[in-house]
Amino acid sequence: MTEDNKIKINGQNYKFHKSRRIEGKVKTITIKRDTRGQMYICFACEVDQKVMTGIKSTAPQKARAIDFGLKDFLVFDDGSRISSPEFLRRSIQELRRVSRAHSRKQKGSGNREQSRRQLAKLQEKVANQRLDWARKTAHAICKSLEGATGFIFIEDLNLQGMKKLWGRKVSDLAYGLFVSELTRVSKSYDIEVVKIGRFERSTGVCSKTGLIVDLTLADRNWNCDCGHMHNRDTESAKTILKAGLGLARDNAVRPERKLRQAM
């Protein structure tokens, strides 16, 4: 880099827009080109990062649990809910129209290349909308725990298996992308994102008594033997919270490191 927003490549100077402040020592610089022909410069930097290795007893503890669902994207242990905008579903008709128009263009022609870029632009728009929404939602959740050492407990889902069952719906929700952004954002709030065990049952479990009831997808509420009527998703979030707090009591909490990003 020659200046703050200029770089020299093969003796040629280029000016670029810096989307965020570069922190730490730059180790590698990678230049990428997307399907639209847009070029991006990616900086890999070495920074000093505080590593969280367990429960901190010097600050008050707060915790939230999140249950992932197809009807309501996120359901919290307090009963609050966040629905997914489903950006692909909103844009599917336009994407189909542009895709059909692209397939009718003669191969190798300038019109086909122009339509290809138009299609790529729409696909990129959907991906950017998802990323922006996931990032803003992650900040909003972390701010609810701001000011204390907190934990967010989530499920470790088999997303590939869910895609086989529900297909495009799961891809449009982009749970993997949301978890990746939540984990990244939480570090700046001194919050740990913790996944409970994949085989830890949460659906149809009473968080108070541990009684298990077999539910179908159509069952949204059920009467428990403890005398209460439970909401399916809210009770699942409470069960996730209980399991996560059990990990915390055993001092076995570790920050989530390796998460798969799904667009």
Side-chain angles (χ1 to χ4, degrees):
M1 292 177 59
T2 57
E3 295 182 27
D4 189 42
N5 64 333
K6 292 183 180 180
I7 189 171
K8 180 180 286 187
I9 304 174
N10 293 333
Q12 183 69 35
N13 289 321
Y14 295 91
K15 189 174 183 179
F16 62 91
H17 170 70
K18 190 166 60 174
S19 60
R20 65 180 62 179
R21 185 165 59 91
I22 300 174
E23 299 179 355
K25 181 181 179 181
V26 177
K27 303 294 289 185
T28 62
I29 300 176
T30 305
I31 300 176
K32 296 183 178 181
R33 187 193 300 270
D34 64 11
T35 55
R36 293 176 54 202
Q38 302 281 349
M39 298 183 69
Y40 297 88
I41 302 177
C42 304
F43 296 93
C45 303
E46 183 179 358
V47 296
D48 294 330
Q49 185 175 358
K50 179 175 63 175
V51 179
M52 295 176 288
T53 58
I55 305 297
K56 307 171 189 61
S57 59
T58 57
Q61 302 290 323
K62 290 185 179 180
R64 299 194 75 179
I66 303 175
D67 176 64
F68 166 73
L70 298 176
K71 186 174 185 294
D72 293 294
F73 180 54
L74 302 176
V75 180
F76 298 88
D77 56 281
D78 60 359
S80 57
R81 298 163 184 263
I82 297 178
S83 298
S84 171
E86 296 185 50
F87 294 107
L88 178 59
R89 182 180 60 82
R90 293 183 181 185
S91 304
I92 193 66
Q93 294 301 326
E94 187 176 7
L95 283 166
R96 286 173 176 170
R97 177 183 61 80
V98 175
S99 180
R100 285 195 294 265
H102 171 67
S103 64
R104 289 193 294 266
K105 299 294 189 297
Q106 183 178 354
K107 292 184 179 180
S109 67
N111 285 338
R112 186 178 178 89
E113 175 61 20
Q114 184 178 2
S115 66
R116 184 195 67 79
R117 292 187 179 184
Q118 184 181 4
L119 179 59
K121 184 178 181 180
L122 285 174
Q123 293 170 338
E124 183 181 358
K125 178 182 177 181
V126 173
N128 289 339
Q129 285 176 322
R130 273 202 204 114
L131 179 60
D132 179 70
W133 182 86
R135 192 165 293 168
K136 290 178 179 177
T137 303
H139 276 287
I141 294 173
C142 290
K143 284 181 180 178
S144 67
L145 296 173
E146 193 172 11
T149 303
F151 296 93
I152 298 176
F153 301 112
I154 60 175
E155 300 174 280
D156 183 13
L157 298 178
N158 181 8
L159 296 179
Q160 296 303 318
M162 294 177 67
K163 287 179 182 178
K164 291 181 180 179
L165 290 175
W166 294 290
R168 190 177 64 211
K169 172 77 172 181
V170 176
S171 299
D172 196 10
L173 294 174
Y175 180 72
L177 172 66
F178 169 75
V179 172
S180 179
E181 284 301 305
L182 179 64
T183 304
R184 183 187 63 81
V185 168
S186 65
K187 294 177 182 178
S188 60
Y189 290 87
D190 198 19
I191 295 171
E192 294 188 36
V193 176
V194 181
K195 284 185 177 181
I196 67 170
R198 174 168 292 190
F199 300 103
E200 186 82 30
R201 179 165 179 172
S202 61
T203 302
V205 179
C206 176
S207 61
K208 295 181 179 179
T209 63
L211 294 174
I212 299 176
V213 178
D214 292 326
L215 302 175
T216 65
L217 287 176
D219 297 326
R220 310 313 303 177
N221 301 280
W222 87 91
N223 288 312
C224 182
D225 291 343
C226 69
H228 294 85
M229 175 173 282
H230 297 316
N231 176 269
R232 175 197 186 101
D233 299 326
T234 303
E235 201 63 20
S236 293
K238 291 180 179 179
T239 303
I240 293 170
L241 178 64
K242 184 177 180 180
L245 291 175
L247 290 175
R249 281 192 296 268
D250 295 336
N251 200 20
V253 175
R254 293 295 182 270
E256 189 61 36
R257 293 297 184 192
K258 298 178 181 179
L259 297 170
R260 180 174 298 175
Q261 186 172 355
M263 299 296 290

